[in-house]
Amino acid sequence: RSGRIARIGRLQGADATRVVDAKGLVVAPGFVDIHTHVSTALPERPDARNLIADGVTSIVSGNCGDSKLNLREWFAGLEESGVAVNVSSLIGHNSVRRAVMGSDKRTPTTEELRQMKALVATGMEDGAIGFSTGLVYVPGTYADTEEVVALARVAAQYGGLYATHMRDEGEKVFEAIEESLTVAREAGLPLQISHFKQLNKRHWGESSRMLDRIEQARAEGIDVTLDQYPYTASSTRLGRMLPSWALAGGEEAMKRRLADPQERQKIVDEMLPRNRKTLGYEHLDYAVVAEAKWDPSLEGKSLRDINRLWNREDELAAEIETTLDLMAKGFVRMVYHRMNEDDVVRILRHPLTMVARDGGVPAYGEGKPHPRSYGTAARVLGRYVREKSVLSLEEAIRKLTSLPSQRAGFQDRGLLREGMWADIVIFDPETVGDAATFEDPHQYSHGIHSVLVNGELVMDDGEPTSARPGQILRHRLVRQTRGN
């Protein structure tokens, strides 16, 4: 009634305009995804079919330091168009720093830091639930810990959380964890470590020690939790393979470096030992093109494949040259197959870990995006609950619903309880699963029967309804202050 759960229990004789037969199915709270990237795509595709087909009813955008700078305007646009799911956002460090300092590799001046603090404050006042960083990306990678602490303190003043794509997720992951904990401790706010993982195959198995450090931090009084996507491959832009200094100053500055023989050789000289000695790879076949709109024929091919296609030597140095040539041609998004499933399972099992896709709302049929945008929730329920018994059904649902909902500060969501918003998913536990693959990612999850958002069906008997009942979930402290 009025978008909320009116009653739970024996309802003989109750009046209803619609009855959904859920016999043999599971009725659960709608899935809450605390880590998405939809700033640009959701206004273009507000029906968010990939999300509702995966049982998702609420999302958090603005992760990894990348958000809309003007959240008030962004939220207003979504409210005007309508949206299928409930939406909230973080305010992103990279977006804030870029607006004030561009892509400069330096420490901010006192005035620049003041301007960045003001932008974070505005984002929080506009309803952001917290502050995010992407410390591997330009320009956030050029920030020191002190800068991050100073900006996180602003979010803390509004009761926000700190979500971070750490500075390293491989060989220096423990240093990165310590930096994240330092920011949370010194800024005085809860910490959400994004897509917790171990990317370096020389360090596979260290997830056990990584989790031990998180538990120790909790014992020390730091409010830290984790999120994770249930796959052994990551996805980000091709530029992540280059040294961060090579990207300073923006795209044109990067292209000038690639065109300068001495600068280019310096880049190659850093990339060779990093791939061979630090990461342990003699070829770049672990790196696969997900998106290259300027040449879609490259999508689905590894850097080694492309190097061979271009009739170059089948060795690492030539593959690195090919990588740099691709960088000079235009934007490329990649999928990196660099994780071990034992680590994925260990992290997934941990009670502090919530499930999140780190994906968006892709244009159906375009490119070869990571399948996590389509299949994350259903993959957990199918592969890791039903097939592998890694999690109980109840624990998986907690990781998909109440845990992320509470972390994001969503009141009246994430549980099935009278009076709470009727965000509900109904699925078949015997058939639910992901269909999206790395080879054929544009496939919707199966086994999701019906999805309700704020009491309205957005998925009805396996078919989208085109309804857009989603709400903007602004930070609750701001909502109380504004009286709405």
Side-chain angles (χ1 to χ4, degrees):
R1 184 181 300 120
S2 300
R4 293 180 180 267
I5 298 172
R7 189 175 169 194
I8 297 174
R10 299 186 180 278
L11 304 175
Q12 290 88 342
D15 292 328
T17 57
R18 170 73 188 276
V19 175
V20 177
D21 184 358
K23 185 177 181 180
L25 306 178
V26 171
V27 180
F31 303 149
V32 177
D33 198 314
I34 201 167
H35 190 117
T36 68
H37 295 273
V38 301
S39 295
T40 300
L42 190 60
E44 297 175 354
R45 293 177 283 278
D47 291 328
R49 183 171 177 183
N50 65 304
L51 297 179
I52 61 173
D54 204 37
V56 175
T57 57
S58 299
I59 60 173
V60 177
S61 188
N63 285 277
C64 300
D66 184 20
S67 72
K68 286 297 183 182
L69 201 59
N70 189 334
L71 285 176
R72 180 178 299 199
E73 182 179 272
W74 189 67
F75 286 151
L78 291 173
E79 287 178 321
E80 183 177 353
S81 68
V83 63
V85 296
N86 302 309
V87 183
S88 65
S89 183
L90 300 146
I91 182 71
H93 175 225
N94 286 329
S95 301
V96 166
R97 198 179 211 266
R98 189 177 296 110
V100 174
M101 300 176 60
S103 299
D104 290 356
K105 184 180 183 294
R106 60 179 176 84
T107 302
T109 65
T110 301
E111 173 58 18
E112 287 169 337
L113 185 59
R114 185 198 67 77
Q115 292 178 35
M116 286 194 284
K117 287 180 177 179
L119 288 173
V120 174
T122 298
M124 295 301 298
E125 289 168 2
D126 286 346
I129 67 167
F131 173 64
S132 76
T133 55
L135 297 176
V136 301
Y137 299 120
V138 174
T141 189
Y142 306 137
D144 58 22
T145 307
E146 289 71 22
E147 176 184 323
V148 178
V149 169
L151 298 177
R153 281 178 176 148
V154 177
Q157 293 170 3
Y158 291 85
L161 61 85
Y162 173 51
T164 182
H165 179 150
M166 298 188 296
R167 207 175 291 271
D168 193 280
E169 296 175 320
E171 65 273 17
K172 296 182 179 178
V173 68
F174 289 99
E175 292 92 325
I177 291 173
E178 291 307 320
E179 181 184 35
S180 304
L181 296 173
T182 295
V183 173
R185 184 187 303 110
E186 295 190 6
L189 77 181
L191 169 63
Q192 180 75 17
I193 299 181
S194 300
H195 38 61
F196 200 65
K197 57 181 173 288
Q198 174 49 257
L199 278 174
N200 191 317
K201 72 175 183 179
R202 295 187 183 278
H203 297 274
W204 285 350
E206 285 191 351
S207 57
S208 181
R209 287 204 303 127
M210 291 161 58
L211 292 168
D212 286 345
R213 180 64 188 104
I214 298 303
E215 291 181 2
Q216 180 185 352
R218 294 277 297 194
E220 294 167 358
I222 299 175
D223 183 2
V224 52
T225 49
L226 316 167
D227 61 64
Q228 178 205 40
Y229 49 83
Y231 297 86
T232 56
S234 62
S235 181
T236 188
R237 59 202 72 172
L238 179 62
R240 275 288 294 121
M241 297 192 70
L242 276 65
S244 63
W245 62 264
L247 306 173
E251 184 176 359
E252 292 307 313
M254 178 269 295
K255 288 183 178 180
R256 285 195 298 271
R257 293 186 185 101
L258 295 181
D260 181 296
Q262 289 185 327
E263 289 285 283
R264 186 183 181 98
Q265 189 58 49
K266 184 180 177 183
I267 295 170
V268 172
D269 289 344
E270 284 197 32
M271 292 178 67
L272 266 171
R274 170 169 170 73
N275 277 278
R276 184 170 285 146
K277 296 180 181 178
T278 305
L279 302 181
Y281 293 101
E282 282 297 331
H283 290 283
L284 301 184
D285 42 9
Y286 66 85
V288 178
V289 174
E291 176 189 333
K293 290 183 178 178
W294 47 270
D295 187 356
S297 70
L298 300 177
E299 294 167 352
K301 294 182 173 64
S302 73
L303 294 177
R304 188 181 188 185
D305 292 336
I306 297 168
N307 187 66
R308 287 169 165 170
L309 185 67
W310 290 356
N311 296 314
R312 299 180 175 182
E313 292 293 324
D314 188 31
E315 49 94 19
L316 183 58
E319 292 165 13
I320 288 174
E321 292 287 353
T322 294
T323 300
L324 300 185
D325 288 340
L326 289 171
M327 284 293 298
K329 287 177 180 292
F331 177 80
V332 181
R333 184 170 296 281
M334 304 293 294
V335 169
Y336 297 105
H337 295 269
R338 289 177 50 196
M339 287 181 274
N340 178 270
E341 187 165 30
D342 288 345
D343 286 323
V344 171
V345 167
R346 185 177 294 114
I347 294 168
L348 180 60
R349 277 196 175 117
H350 198 278
L352 294 176
T353 302
M354 53 198 78
V355 175
R357 73 195 54 236
D358 188 21
V361 184
Y364 189 84
E366 291 186 13
K368 298 277 188 179
H370 196 301
R372 64 194 181 189
S373 288
Y374 286 88
T376 290
R379 180 177 177 83
V380 168
L381 296 172
R383 179 178 177 85
Y384 293 107
V385 173
R386 184 180 63 249
E387 295 174 8
K388 291 184 171 290
S389 300
V390 168
L391 298 172
S392 67
L393 178 61
E394 295 83 354
E395 178 64 0
I397 295 299
R398 185 184 75 91
K399 290 173 175 290
L400 286 161
T401 60
S402 61
L403 183 59
S405 184
Q406 292 162 7
R407 195 51 161 174
F410 298 158
Q411 294 184 321
D412 302 333
R413 298 183 193 274
L415 296 169
L416 295 181
R417 185 173 291 168
E418 291 178 6
M420 300 189 82
W421 287 101
D423 295 340
I424 300 170
V425 59
I426 303 171
F427 63 90
D428 185 342
E430 298 302 320
T431 64
V432 67
D434 59 321
T437 64
F438 289 101
E439 295 74 25
D440 188 7
H442 297 285
Q443 298 190 76
Y444 299 116
S445 295
H446 48 74
I448 303 293
H449 181 278
S450 299
V451 179
L452 293 90
V453 174
N454 300 315
E456 190 168 343
L457 282 161
V458 294
M459 179 75 69
D460 187 1
D461 197 18
E463 295 296 326
T465 66
S466 299
R468 298 180 181 178
Q471 298 178 9
I472 303 302
L473 305 181
R474 294 176 176 85
H475 192 282
R476 59 188 176 87
L477 294 183
V478 176
R479 186 166 65 246
Q480 290 172 1
T481 301
R482 290 178 175 169
N484 58 11

